[in-house]
Amino acid sequence: MKIIDIEYINNAAELLNRNGLSKVEINDSKMRVVIEKNSGGVVQTVQTAPAAFVIENNNSPIIQTEEVIDFNSMIEVTSPIVGVFYSSPSPEAEPFVTIGSTVKAGDVLCVIEAMKCFNDIPAAQDGKIVDICLKNGDVVEFGQVLFKMQ
């Protein structure tokens, strides 16, 4: 996820307010920013190819763009056993992976407890975690999707 320069957006919004304009549009080769005034405040639209957010905010604009996810090339990591899903090695430890984590083949993604045994679930191939389908402590079935990777 890219974060747009907030000072740049604030300057554009100030230009809009200072000159009594109802709309400011800024284009460059990678992004299109539209700041438009309506009765409820200022609406900013940022478009990159092809994802965009529209964020309404009266004071300070925060604009984020998101990478495009190709669902045709999605890799689903499924559970090889029935058990309890744990996202970290212990309750106080950080999770093995989070959304956006890049993993290599063999990296541990989670642990599944089955019959008092803790089984590491490794990544079968390199990729990026796009979705974590369970919460810590959820019961999983054989073949249930645990993670979606790209």
Side-chain angles (χ1 to χ4, degrees), residues 10-137:
N10 281 333
N11 289 338
E14 186 177 278
L15 174 73
L16 177 107
N17 288 327
R18 187 176 49 226
N19 294 308
L21 302 172
S22 61
K23 183 177 182 179
V24 172
E25 183 172 336
I26 304 165
N27 289 309
D28 72 18
S29 62
K30 296 182 181 178
M31 146 178 62
R32 177 175 170 249
V33 177
V34 178
I35 302 175
E36 193 170 354
K37 191 181 254 186
N38 68 9
S39 60
V42 177
V43 176
Q44 299 92 18
T45 305
V46 174
Q47 294 179 349
T48 60
F53 286 105
V54 175
I55 299 172
E56 291 189 33
N57 194 335
N58 292 332
N59 297 325
S60 60
I62 298 172
I63 301 183
Q64 298 176 336
T65 59
E66 187 174 284
E67 285 182 35
V68 176
I69 297 172
D70 181 9
F71 288 98
N72 294 322
S73 65
M74 195 68 57
I75 303 160
E76 292 183 339
V77 178
T78 58
S79 177
I81 55 176
V82 174
V84 179
F85 172 86
Y86 293 107
S87 60
S88 61
S90 66
E92 59 278 343
E94 292 293 315
F96 291 108
V97 295
T98 58
I99 294 175
S101 295
T102 302
V103 297
K104 301 281 184 198
D107 287 354
V108 175
L109 302 176
C110 67
V111 173
I112 296 180
E113 179 186 7
M115 299 177 63
K116 305 283 184 195
C117 292
F118 291 89
N119 303 282
D120 290 345
I121 306 301
Q125 62 188 61
D126 297 354
K128 181 178 175 183
I129 302 296
V130 177
D131 190 19
I132 301 172
C133 302
L134 299 163
K135 295 183 306 215
N136 205 36

